[in-house]
Amino acid sequence: MQQAKAGVPAVFTNLSDNGIDVLTKRGELRPLVRDARFLWPDNVHFGQDSWLYVAINQLHRNPIFTNAADQGKPPYLIARVWTGTRGQPGR
């Protein structure tokens, strides 16, 4: 989860739907982005000017989860997602 400035929705990774969700003021999760390349979106951090940076780590393809060889495949991504909000950089 990543919290933006006061009054701005919190941001969550959504592993099962390959995306990022935001928590609305009503307490509902709303999709911000869905993308087939978001294979286990993990860490999220706000950057400058409303961009959210997301590390995509493919952890579910690791031998600890597959009981087989490492199935991770490049490219390993850091995605940049426009949020339209003023997040606090570094948070």
Coordinates of all heavy atoms in Angstrom, one line a residue:
M1 N 0.8 -1.2 0.0 CA 0.0 0.0 0.0 C 0.9 1.2 0.0 O 1.9 1.3 0.6 CB -0.9 0.0 1.2 CG -1.8 1.2 1.3 SD -2.7 1.4 2.8 CE -1.5 2.1 3.9
Q2 N 0.4 2.2 -0.7 CA 1.2 3.5 -0.7 C 0.2 4.6 -0.5 O -0.8 4.7 -1.2 CB 1.8 3.7 -2.1 CG 2.6 5.0 -2.2 CD 3.8 5.0 -1.2 OE1 4.5 4.1 -1.1 NE2 4.0 6.2 -0.6
Q3 N 0.4 5.4 0.6 CA -0.5 6.5 0.9 C 0.0 7.8 0.3 O 1.2 8.1 0.3 CB -0.5 6.7 2.4 CG -1.4 7.8 2.9 CD -2.9 7.4 3.0 OE1 -3.1 6.2 3.3 NE2 -3.8 8.2 2.7
A4 N -0.9 8.5 -0.3 CA -0.5 9.8 -0.9 C -0.7 10.9 0.2 O -0.9 10.6 1.3 CB -1.4 10.1 -2.1
K5 N -0.7 12.2 -0.2 CA -1.0 13.2 0.7 C -2.4 13.1 1.3 O -3.3 12.4 0.7 CB -0.8 14.6 0.0 CG 0.6 14.9 -0.3 CD 0.7 16.3 -0.9 CE 2.1 16.7 -1.2 NZ 2.2 18.0 -1.9
A6 N -2.6 13.8 2.4 CA -4.0 13.8 3.0 C -5.1 14.1 2.0 O -4.9 15.0 1.2 CB -4.0 14.8 4.2
G7 N -6.1 13.3 2.1 CA -7.2 13.5 1.2 C -7.1 12.8 -0.2 O -8.0 12.8 -1.0
V8 N -6.0 12.2 -0.4 CA -5.8 11.5 -1.7 C -5.9 10.0 -1.4 O -5.3 9.5 -0.4 CB -4.4 11.8 -2.3 CG1 -4.1 11.1 -3.6 CG2 -4.3 13.3 -2.6
P9 N -6.5 9.2 -2.3 CA -6.7 7.8 -2.0 C -5.4 7.0 -1.8 O -4.4 7.4 -2.4 CB -7.4 7.2 -3.2 CG -8.0 8.4 -3.9 CD -7.1 9.6 -3.5
A10 N -5.4 6.0 -1.0 CA -4.3 5.0 -0.8 C -4.2 4.1 -2.0 O -5.2 3.9 -2.7 CB -4.5 4.2 0.4
V11 N -3.0 3.7 -2.4 CA -2.8 2.9 -3.6 C -2.3 1.5 -3.1 O -1.5 1.3 -2.2 CB -1.7 3.5 -4.4 CG1 -1.4 2.7 -5.7 CG2 -2.1 4.9 -4.8
F12 N -2.9 0.4 -3.7 CA -2.6 -1.0 -3.4 C -2.2 -1.7 -4.7 O -2.8 -1.5 -5.7 CB -3.8 -1.7 -2.8 CG -4.3 -1.1 -1.5 CD1 -5.2 0.0 -1.5 CD2 -3.9 -1.7 -0.4 CE1 -5.6 0.4 -0.3 CE2 -4.3 -1.3 0.9 CZ -5.2 -0.2 0.9
T13 N -1.3 -2.7 -4.5 CA -1.0 -3.6 -5.6 C -2.1 -4.6 -5.6 O -2.7 -5.0 -4.6 CB 0.4 -4.3 -5.5 OG1 0.4 -5.0 -4.2 CG2 1.5 -3.2 -5.5
N14 N -2.5 -5.1 -6.8 CA -3.5 -6.1 -7.0 C -2.9 -7.3 -7.8 O -2.8 -7.3 -9.0 CB -4.7 -5.6 -7.7 CG -5.8 -6.6 -7.8 OD1 -5.6 -7.7 -8.0 ND2 -7.1 -6.1 -7.7
L15 N -2.4 -8.3 -7.0 CA -1.6 -9.4 -7.7 C -2.5 -10.2 -8.6 O -2.1 -10.6 -9.7 CB -1.0 -10.3 -6.6 CG -0.1 -9.6 -5.6 CD1 0.4 -10.6 -4.6 CD2 1.1 -8.9 -6.3
S16 N -3.7 -10.5 -8.1 CA -4.6 -11.4 -8.9 C -5.1 -10.8 -10.2 O -5.4 -11.6 -11.1 CB -5.7 -11.9 -8.0 OG -6.5 -10.9 -7.6
D17 N -5.2 -9.5 -10.2 CA -5.7 -8.8 -11.4 C -4.6 -8.1 -12.2 O -4.9 -7.3 -13.1 CB -6.8 -7.9 -11.1 CG -8.1 -8.6 -10.6 OD1 -8.3 -9.7 -11.1 OD2 -8.7 -8.1 -9.7
N18 N -3.3 -8.3 -11.9 CA -2.2 -7.7 -12.6 C -2.4 -6.2 -12.7 O -2.4 -5.6 -13.7 CB -2.0 -8.3 -14.0 CG -1.6 -9.7 -14.0 OD1 -1.8 -10.4 -13.0 ND2 -1.1 -10.2 -15.1
G19 N -2.5 -5.6 -11.5 CA -2.7 -4.1 -11.6 C -2.5 -3.4 -10.3 O -1.9 -4.0 -9.3
I20 N -3.0 -2.2 -10.3 CA -2.9 -1.3 -9.1 C -4.3 -0.8 -8.9 O -5.0 -0.4 -9.8 CB -2.0 -0.1 -9.4 CG1 -0.6 -0.6 -9.8 CG2 -1.9 0.9 -8.2 CD1 0.2 -1.3 -8.8
D21 N -4.7 -0.7 -7.6 CA -6.0 -0.2 -7.2 C -5.9 1.0 -6.3 O -4.8 1.1 -5.6 CB -6.8 -1.3 -6.4 CG -7.2 -2.5 -7.3 OD1 -7.1 -2.4 -8.5 OD2 -7.6 -3.5 -6.7
V22 N -6.9 1.8 -6.2 CA -7.0 2.9 -5.3 C -8.2 2.7 -4.3 O -9.2 2.1 -4.8 CB -7.0 4.3 -6.0 CG1 -5.8 4.6 -6.7 CG2 -8.2 4.4 -6.9
L23 N -8.0 3.1 -3.1 CA -9.1 3.1 -2.1 C -9.8 4.4 -2.2 O -9.2 5.4 -1.9 CB -8.5 2.8 -0.7 CG -9.5 2.6 0.4 CD1 -10.4 1.3 0.1 CD2 -8.8 2.5 1.7
T24 N -11.1 4.4 -2.5 CA -11.9 5.6 -2.6 C -12.3 6.1 -1.2 O -12.1 5.4 -0.2 CB -13.2 5.4 -3.4 OG1 -14.1 4.5 -2.7 CG2 -12.9 4.8 -4.8
K25 N -12.8 7.3 -1.2 CA -13.2 7.9 0.1 C -14.4 7.1 0.7 O -14.6 7.1 1.9 CB -13.6 9.3 -0.1 CG -12.5 10.2 -0.4 CD -12.9 11.7 -0.6 CE -11.7 12.6 -0.9 NZ -12.1 14.0 -1.0
R26 N -15.1 6.4 -0.1 CA -16.2 5.5 0.3 C -15.7 4.1 0.8 O -16.5 3.3 1.2 CB -17.2 5.3 -0.8 CG -17.9 6.5 -1.2 CD -18.9 6.3 -2.2 NE -19.7 7.4 -2.5 CZ -20.7 7.5 -3.4 NH1 -21.0 6.4 -4.1 NH2 -21.4 8.6 -3.6
G27 N -14.4 3.9 0.7 CA -13.9 2.6 1.2 C -13.9 1.5 0.2 O -13.8 0.3 0.5
E28 N -14.1 1.9 -1.1 CA -14.1 0.9 -2.2 C -12.8 0.8 -2.9 O -12.2 1.9 -3.2 CB -15.3 1.2 -3.1 CG -16.6 1.3 -2.5 CD -17.7 2.0 -3.4 OE1 -17.3 2.7 -4.3 OE2 -18.8 1.7 -3.1
L29 N -12.4 -0.3 -3.3 CA -11.2 -0.5 -4.2 C -11.6 -0.3 -5.6 O -12.6 -0.9 -6.1 CB -10.5 -1.8 -4.0 CG -9.7 -2.0 -2.7 CD1 -9.2 -3.4 -2.6 CD2 -8.6 -1.0 -2.7
R30 N -10.9 0.6 -6.3 CA -11.2 0.9 -7.7 C -9.9 0.7 -8.5 O -8.9 1.1 -8.1 CB -11.6 2.4 -7.8 CG -12.0 2.8 -9.2 CD -12.5 4.2 -9.2 NE -11.7 5.2 -8.5 CZ -10.7 5.9 -9.1 NH1 -10.4 5.7 -10.3 NH2 -9.9 6.7 -8.4
P31 N -10.0 0.0 -9.7 CA -8.8 -0.2 -10.5 C -8.2 1.1 -11.0 O -9.0 2.0 -11.4 CB -9.4 -1.0 -11.7 CG -10.7 -1.6 -11.2 CD -11.2 -0.6 -10.2
L32 N -6.9 1.2 -10.9 CA -6.2 2.4 -11.4 C -5.6 1.9 -12.8 O -5.7 2.7 -13.8 CB -5.1 2.9 -10.5 CG -4.2 4.0 -11.0 CD1 -5.0 5.3 -11.2 CD2 -3.1 4.2 -10.0
V33 N -5.1 0.7 -12.8 CA -4.5 0.2 -14.0 C -4.5 -1.3 -14.0 O -4.4 -1.9 -12.9 CB -3.0 0.7 -14.2 CG1 -2.1 0.1 -13.1 CG2 -2.4 0.3 -15.5
R34 N -4.7 -1.9 -15.1 CA -4.6 -3.4 -15.3 C -3.7 -3.6 -16.6 O -3.9 -2.9 -17.6 CB -6.0 -4.0 -15.6 CG -7.0 -3.9 -14.5 CD -6.5 -4.9 -13.4 NE -7.5 -4.9 -12.3 CZ -7.4 -4.1 -11.2 NH1 -6.4 -3.3 -11.0 NH2 -8.3 -4.2 -10.2
D35 N -2.8 -4.5 -16.4 CA -1.8 -4.7 -17.5 C -1.3 -6.1 -17.4 O -0.8 -6.4 -16.3 CB -0.7 -3.6 -17.5 CG 0.1 -3.6 -18.7 OD1 0.6 -4.6 -19.1 OD2 0.3 -2.5 -19.3
A36 N -1.3 -6.8 -18.5 CA -0.8 -8.2 -18.5 C 0.7 -8.2 -18.1 O 1.2 -9.3 -17.7 CB -1.0 -8.8 -19.8
R37 N 1.4 -7.1 -18.3 CA 2.9 -7.1 -18.0 C 3.1 -6.9 -16.5 O 4.2 -7.1 -16.0 CB 3.5 -6.0 -18.7 CG 3.5 -6.1 -20.2 CD 4.0 -4.9 -21.0 NE 3.0 -3.8 -20.7 CZ 3.1 -2.6 -21.2 NH1 4.2 -2.3 -21.9 NH2 2.2 -1.7 -20.9
F38 N 2.1 -6.6 -15.7 CA 2.2 -6.4 -14.3 C 2.2 -7.8 -13.6 O 1.2 -8.1 -12.9 CB 1.1 -5.5 -13.7 CG 1.4 -4.0 -13.9 CD1 1.9 -3.5 -15.0 CD2 1.0 -3.2 -12.9 CE1 2.2 -2.2 -15.2 CE2 1.2 -1.8 -13.0 CZ 1.8 -1.3 -14.2
L39 N 3.2 -8.5 -13.8 CA 3.4 -9.9 -13.2 C 3.9 -9.7 -11.8 O 5.1 -9.7 -11.6 CB 4.3 -10.7 -14.1 CG 3.9 -10.9 -15.5 CD1 4.9 -11.5 -16.4 CD2 2.6 -11.7 -15.6
W40 N 3.0 -9.7 -10.8 CA 3.3 -9.5 -9.4 C 3.9 -8.1 -9.2 O 5.0 -7.9 -8.8 CB 4.3 -10.6 -8.9 CG 4.3 -10.8 -7.4 CD1 4.7 -9.8 -6.5 CD2 3.8 -11.9 -6.7 NE1 4.5 -10.3 -5.2 CE2 4.0 -11.6 -5.3 CE3 3.3 -13.1 -7.0 CZ2 3.7 -12.5 -4.3 CZ3 3.0 -14.0 -6.0 CH2 3.2 -13.7 -4.7
P41 N 3.0 -7.1 -9.3 CA 3.4 -5.8 -8.9 C 3.7 -5.7 -7.5 O 2.9 -6.2 -6.7 CB 2.2 -4.9 -9.3 CG 1.0 -5.8 -9.3 CD 1.6 -7.2 -9.7
D42 N 4.8 -5.2 -7.1 CA 5.3 -5.3 -5.7 C 5.4 -3.9 -5.0 O 4.4 -3.5 -4.4 CB 6.6 -6.0 -5.7 CG 7.1 -6.4 -4.3 OD1 6.2 -6.4 -3.4 OD2 8.2 -6.7 -4.1
N43 N 6.5 -3.3 -5.2 CA 6.7 -2.0 -4.5 C 6.2 -0.9 -5.3 O 6.3 -0.8 -6.5 CB 8.2 -1.8 -4.3 CG 8.8 -2.9 -3.4 OD1 8.3 -3.1 -2.3 ND2 9.8 -3.5 -3.8
V44 N 5.5 0.1 -4.6 CA 5.1 1.3 -5.3 C 5.6 2.5 -4.5 O 5.7 2.5 -3.3 CB 3.5 1.3 -5.4 CG1 3.0 0.2 -6.2 CG2 2.9 1.2 -4.0
H45 N 6.0 3.5 -5.3 CA 6.5 4.8 -4.7 C 6.0 5.9 -5.6 O 6.1 5.9 -6.8 CB 8.0 4.8 -4.6 CG 8.5 3.8 -3.6 ND1 8.5 4.1 -2.3 CD2 9.0 2.6 -3.8 CE1 9.0 3.0 -1.6 NE2 9.3 2.1 -2.5
F46 N 5.6 7.0 -4.9 CA 5.3 8.2 -5.7 C 6.5 8.9 -6.1 O 7.5 9.1 -5.3 CB 4.4 9.2 -4.9 CG 2.9 8.8 -4.9 CD1 2.4 8.1 -3.8 CD2 2.1 9.0 -5.9 CE1 1.1 7.7 -3.7 CE2 0.8 8.6 -5.9 CZ 0.3 8.0 -4.8
G47 N 6.6 9.4 -7.3 CA 7.6 10.2 -7.8 C 7.1 11.7 -8.0 O 6.1 12.0 -7.4
Q48 N 7.8 12.4 -8.7 CA 7.4 13.8 -9.0 C 6.2 13.9 -9.9 O 6.0 13.1 -10.7 CB 8.6 14.6 -9.6 CG 9.9 14.6 -8.8 CD 9.7 15.4 -7.5 OE1 9.0 16.4 -7.4 NE2 10.3 14.9 -6.4
D49 N 5.4 14.9 -9.7 CA 4.4 15.3 -10.6 C 3.3 14.2 -10.8 O 3.0 13.9 -12.0 CB 4.9 15.8 -11.9 CG 5.8 17.0 -11.8 OD1 5.5 17.8 -10.9 OD2 6.8 17.1 -12.5
S50 N 2.9 13.6 -9.8 CA 1.8 12.6 -9.8 C 2.1 11.2 -10.4 O 1.2 10.5 -10.6 CB 0.6 13.2 -10.6 OG 0.2 14.4 -9.9
W51 N 3.3 10.9 -10.7 CA 3.6 9.6 -11.2 C 3.8 8.6 -10.1 O 4.4 8.9 -9.1 CB 4.9 9.6 -12.1 CG 4.7 10.3 -13.4 CD1 5.0 11.6 -13.7 CD2 4.1 9.8 -14.6 NE1 4.7 11.9 -15.0 CE2 4.1 10.8 -15.5 CE3 3.5 8.6 -14.9 CZ2 3.6 10.7 -16.8 CZ3 3.0 8.4 -16.2 CH2 3.0 9.4 -17.1
L52 N 3.3 7.4 -10.3 CA 3.5 6.3 -9.3 C 4.5 5.3 -10.0 O 4.2 4.9 -11.2 CB 2.2 5.6 -9.0 CG 2.2 4.5 -8.0 CD1 2.5 5.1 -6.6 CD2 0.9 3.8 -8.0
Y53 N 5.5 4.9 -9.4 CA 6.5 3.9 -9.9 C 6.2 2.6 -9.2 O 6.1 2.5 -8.0 CB 7.9 4.4 -9.7 CG 8.2 5.6 -10.5 CD1 7.9 6.9 -10.0 CD2 8.8 5.5 -11.7 CE1 8.2 8.0 -10.8 CE2 9.1 6.6 -12.5 CZ 8.7 7.9 -12.0 OH 9.0 9.0 -12.8
V54 N 6.2 1.5 -10.1 CA 5.8 0.2 -9.6 C 6.9 -0.8 -10.0 O 7.2 -0.9 -11.2 CB 4.4 -0.2 -10.2 CG1 4.0 -1.6 -9.6 CG2 3.4 0.8 -10.0
A55 N 7.4 -1.5 -9.1 CA 8.4 -2.6 -9.4 C 7.6 -3.9 -9.7 O 6.7 -4.3 -8.9 CB 9.3 -2.8 -8.2
I56 N 7.9 -4.5 -10.8 CA 7.3 -5.7 -11.2 C 8.3 -6.8 -11.1 O 9.3 -6.8 -11.8 CB 6.8 -5.6 -12.7 CG1 6.0 -4.4 -13.0 CG2 6.0 -6.9 -13.1 CD1 4.8 -4.2 -12.2
N57 N 8.1 -7.7 -10.1 CA 9.2 -8.7 -9.8 C 9.0 -10.1 -10.2 O 9.9 -10.9 -10.0 CB 9.5 -8.6 -8.3 CG 8.5 -9.1 -7.4 OD1 7.6 -9.8 -7.8 ND2 8.6 -8.8 -6.1
Q58 N 7.8 -10.5 -10.7 CA 7.6 -11.9 -11.1 C 7.8 -12.9 -10.0 O 8.3 -14.0 -10.3 CB 8.4 -12.2 -12.4 CG 8.1 -11.3 -13.6 CD 8.9 -11.7 -14.8 OE1 9.1 -12.9 -15.0 NE2 9.3 -10.8 -15.6
L59 N 7.6 -12.5 -8.8 CA 7.9 -13.4 -7.7 C 7.2 -14.7 -7.7 O 7.7 -15.8 -7.3 CB 7.5 -12.7 -6.3 CG 7.9 -13.4 -5.1 CD1 9.5 -13.6 -5.0 CD2 7.5 -12.7 -3.9
H60 N 6.0 -14.7 -8.3 CA 5.2 -16.0 -8.4 C 5.9 -17.0 -9.3 O 5.5 -18.2 -9.4 CB 3.8 -15.7 -8.9 CG 3.7 -15.1 -10.3 ND1 4.3 -13.9 -10.6 CD2 3.2 -15.6 -11.4 CE1 4.1 -13.7 -11.9 NE2 3.4 -14.7 -12.4
R61 N 6.9 -16.6 -10.1 CA 7.6 -17.5 -11.0 C 8.9 -18.0 -10.3 O 9.7 -18.7 -11.0 CB 8.0 -16.8 -12.3 CG 6.7 -16.5 -13.1 CD 7.1 -15.7 -14.3 NE 5.9 -15.6 -15.2 CZ 5.9 -15.0 -16.4 NH1 7.0 -14.5 -16.8 NH2 4.8 -15.0 -17.1
N62 N 9.1 -17.7 -9.1 CA 10.3 -18.1 -8.3 C 10.2 -19.6 -7.9 O 9.0 -20.0 -7.7 CB 10.4 -17.2 -7.1 CG 11.7 -17.4 -6.3 OD1 11.8 -18.5 -5.6 ND2 12.6 -16.5 -6.4
P63 N 11.3 -20.3 -7.8 CA 11.2 -21.7 -7.5 C 10.5 -22.0 -6.1 O 9.9 -23.0 -6.0 CB 12.7 -22.1 -7.4 CG 13.4 -21.2 -8.3 CD 12.6 -19.9 -8.2
I64 N 10.5 -21.0 -5.2 CA 9.8 -21.3 -4.0 C 8.3 -21.4 -4.1 O 7.6 -22.1 -3.4 CB 10.2 -20.2 -2.9 CG1 9.9 -20.6 -1.5 CG2 9.4 -18.9 -3.2 CD1 10.5 -19.8 -0.5
F65 N 7.8 -20.8 -5.2 CA 6.3 -20.9 -5.5 C 6.0 -22.0 -6.6 O 4.9 -22.5 -6.6 CB 5.8 -19.6 -6.0 CG 5.7 -18.5 -5.0 CD1 6.7 -17.5 -4.9 CD2 4.7 -18.5 -4.0 CE1 6.7 -16.6 -3.9 CE2 4.6 -17.5 -3.1 CZ 5.6 -16.6 -3.0
T66 N 7.0 -22.2 -7.5 CA 6.7 -23.2 -8.6 C 7.2 -24.6 -8.3 O 6.8 -25.5 -9.0 CB 7.4 -22.7 -9.9 OG1 8.8 -22.7 -9.7 CG2 6.9 -21.3 -10.2
N67 N 8.0 -24.8 -7.3 CA 8.7 -26.1 -7.0 C 9.4 -26.6 -8.3 O 9.4 -27.8 -8.5 CB 7.6 -27.1 -6.6 CG 7.1 -26.8 -5.2 OD1 7.9 -26.4 -4.3 ND2 5.8 -27.0 -5.0
A68 N 9.9 -25.7 -9.1 CA 10.6 -26.0 -10.3 C 11.7 -25.0 -10.5 O 12.0 -24.2 -9.6 CB 9.7 -26.0 -11.5
A69 N 12.3 -24.9 -11.6 CA 13.3 -24.0 -12.0 C 12.7 -22.6 -12.0 O 11.5 -22.4 -12.1 CB 14.0 -24.3 -13.3
D70 N 13.6 -21.6 -11.9 CA 13.1 -20.2 -11.9 C 12.5 -19.9 -13.3 O 13.1 -20.2 -14.3 CB 14.3 -19.2 -11.7 CG 13.9 -17.8 -11.6 OD1 12.8 -17.5 -11.8 OD2 14.8 -17.0 -11.3
Q71 N 11.3 -19.5 -13.3 CA 10.5 -19.2 -14.5 C 10.4 -17.8 -14.9 O 9.7 -17.4 -15.8 CB 9.1 -19.9 -14.4 CG 9.2 -21.4 -14.2 CD 7.8 -22.0 -13.9 OE1 6.8 -21.3 -14.0 NE2 7.8 -23.2 -13.6
G72 N 11.1 -16.9 -14.1 CA 11.1 -15.5 -14.4 C 11.7 -15.2 -15.8 O 12.7 -15.8 -16.1
K73 N 11.1 -14.3 -16.5 CA 11.7 -13.9 -17.8 C 11.8 -12.4 -18.0 O 10.8 -11.7 -17.7 CB 10.7 -14.5 -18.9 CG 10.6 -16.0 -18.9 CD 9.6 -16.5 -20.0 CE 9.5 -18.0 -19.9 NZ 8.4 -18.5 -20.7
P74 N 12.9 -12.0 -18.5 CA 13.0 -10.5 -18.8 C 12.0 -10.1 -19.9 O 11.5 -11.0 -20.6 CB 14.4 -10.4 -19.4 CG 15.2 -11.6 -18.9 CD 14.1 -12.7 -18.8
P75 N 11.6 -8.9 -19.9 CA 12.1 -7.8 -19.1 C 11.5 -7.7 -17.7 O 10.3 -8.0 -17.5 CB 11.7 -6.6 -19.9 CG 10.4 -7.0 -20.6 CD 10.6 -8.4 -20.9
Y76 N 12.3 -7.4 -16.8 CA 11.9 -7.1 -15.4 C 11.6 -5.6 -15.4 O 12.4 -4.8 -15.9 CB 12.9 -7.5 -14.4 CG 13.2 -9.0 -14.5 CD1 14.3 -9.4 -15.2 CD2 12.3 -9.9 -13.9 CE1 14.5 -10.8 -15.3 CE2 12.6 -11.2 -14.0 CZ 13.7 -11.7 -14.7 OH 13.9 -13.0 -14.8
L77 N 10.5 -5.2 -15.0 CA 10.0 -3.8 -15.2 C 9.9 -2.9 -13.9 O 9.7 -3.4 -12.9 CB 8.6 -3.8 -15.8 CG 8.4 -4.6 -17.1 CD1 6.9 -4.6 -17.5 CD2 9.2 -4.0 -18.2
I78 N 10.1 -1.7 -14.2 CA 9.7 -0.6 -13.2 C 8.7 0.2 -14.1 O 9.1 0.9 -15.0 CB 10.8 0.2 -12.7 CG1 11.7 -0.7 -11.8 CG2 10.3 1.4 -11.9 CD1 12.9 0.0 -11.2
A79 N 7.5 0.1 -13.7 CA 6.4 0.8 -14.5 C 6.2 2.2 -13.9 O 6.3 2.4 -12.7 CB 5.1 0.0 -14.5
R80 N 5.8 3.1 -14.8 CA 5.4 4.5 -14.4 C 3.9 4.7 -14.7 O 3.6 4.5 -15.9 CB 6.3 5.5 -15.1 CG 6.1 6.9 -14.6 CD 7.1 7.8 -15.2 NE 6.7 8.3 -16.5 CZ 7.1 9.4 -17.1 NH1 8.0 10.1 -16.5 NH2 6.6 9.7 -18.2
V81 N 3.1 5.0 -13.7 CA 1.7 5.1 -13.9 C 1.2 6.5 -13.5 O 1.6 7.0 -12.4 CB 1.0 4.0 -13.0 CG1 -0.5 4.1 -13.1 CG2 1.4 2.6 -13.3
W82 N 0.5 7.1 -14.3 CA -0.1 8.4 -14.1 C -1.3 8.2 -13.1 O -2.2 7.4 -13.3 CB -0.6 9.1 -15.3 CG -1.3 10.4 -15.1 CD1 -2.6 10.6 -15.2 CD2 -0.6 11.6 -14.7 NE1 -2.8 12.0 -14.9 CE2 -1.6 12.6 -14.6 CE3 0.7 12.0 -14.5 CZ2 -1.3 13.9 -14.2 CZ3 1.0 13.3 -14.1 CH2 0.0 14.2 -14.0
T83 N -1.3 9.0 -12.0 CA -2.3 8.8 -11.0 C -3.3 10.0 -11.0 O -4.4 9.9 -10.5 CB -1.7 8.8 -9.6 OG1 -1.1 10.0 -9.3 CG2 -0.8 7.6 -9.4
G84 N -2.9 11.2 -11.5 CA -3.7 12.3 -11.5 C -3.9 13.0 -10.1 O -4.7 13.8 -9.9
T85 N -3.1 12.5 -9.1 CA -3.1 13.0 -7.8 C -1.8 13.6 -7.4 O -0.8 13.3 -8.1 CB -3.5 11.9 -6.8 OG1 -2.5 10.9 -6.8 CG2 -4.8 11.3 -7.1
R86 N -1.7 14.2 -6.3 CA -0.4 14.7 -5.8 C 0.1 13.9 -4.7 O -0.2 14.1 -3.6 CB -0.6 16.2 -5.3 CG -0.7 17.2 -6.4 CD 0.7 17.4 -7.0 NE 0.6 18.5 -8.0 CZ 1.6 18.7 -8.8 NH1 2.6 17.9 -8.9 NH2 1.5 19.7 -9.7
G87 N 0.8 12.8 -5.1 CA 1.4 11.9 -4.1 C 2.6 12.6 -3.5 O 3.2 13.6 -4.0
Q88 N 3.1 12.1 -2.3 CA 4.3 12.6 -1.7 C 5.5 11.8 -2.2 O 5.6 10.6 -2.0 CB 4.2 12.5 -0.2 CG 5.4 13.1 0.5 CD 5.2 13.0 2.0 OE1 4.1 12.7 2.5 NE2 6.2 13.4 2.7
P89 N 6.4 12.5 -3.0 CA 7.6 11.8 -3.5 C 8.3 11.0 -2.5 O 8.5 11.5 -1.4 CB 8.4 12.9 -4.1 CG 7.4 14.0 -4.4 CD 6.4 13.9 -3.3
G90 N 8.7 9.8 -2.9 CA 9.5 8.9 -2.0 C 8.6 8.1 -1.0 O 9.1 7.3 -0.3
R91 N 7.3 8.3 -1.1 CA 6.4 7.5 -0.2 C 5.7 6.5 -1.0 O 5.5 6.5 -2.1 CB 5.4 8.4 0.4 CG 5.9 9.5 1.3 CD 6.5 9.0 2.5 NE 6.1 9.8 3.6 CZ 6.2 9.4 4.8 NH1 6.5 8.2 5.1 NH2 5.9 10.1 5.8

